[in-house]
Amino acid sequence: MTVHSKKGQTSPWHHPHNSMLHLPTVILTGILAWVSSQASLSSLAQTCRRLQTLVESYLYRIVFLGNHDGENFTYAMNRKTVRAEYL
């Protein structure tokens, strides 16, 4: 399918309702389960609140406490106690 955009018209591919954020949560979590990069998960979590909420359960499962970053980890847990449930 070829999309032609005339001046002043928005391409349907850039319509806000075509965003992956409009997918059901179960679909998004299924996609996130396949993301193995901690850096990618971290980037996704920083994009919006909905993805942050979904991504954190995956992100905090792969945290290594031996990374000498215990203070930041503790701070993150204290700021949002639901994060502790992800461990």
Side-chain angles (χ1 to χ4, degrees), residues 17-78:
H17 294 295
N18 289 340
S19 166
M20 73 177 247
L21 295 176
H22 291 282
L23 291 172
T25 300
V26 68
I27 301 293
L28 287 174
T29 55
I31 293 169
L32 292 174
W34 287 94
V35 179
S36 59
S37 163
Q38 184 176 354
S40 295
L41 288 170
S42 180
S43 294
L44 282 169
Q46 294 175 40
T47 60
C48 69
R49 287 184 180 160
R50 180 166 186 220
L51 284 180
Q52 178 186 10
T53 302
L54 296 175
V55 169
E56 282 187 346
S57 66
Y58 294 95
L59 193 57
Y60 283 97
R61 288 180 199 162
I62 58 174
V63 169
F64 296 103
L65 295 178
N67 67 1
H68 305 290
D69 205 12
E71 288 181 18
N72 288 336
F73 181 77
T74 302
Y75 176 75
M77 292 295 111
N78 288 335

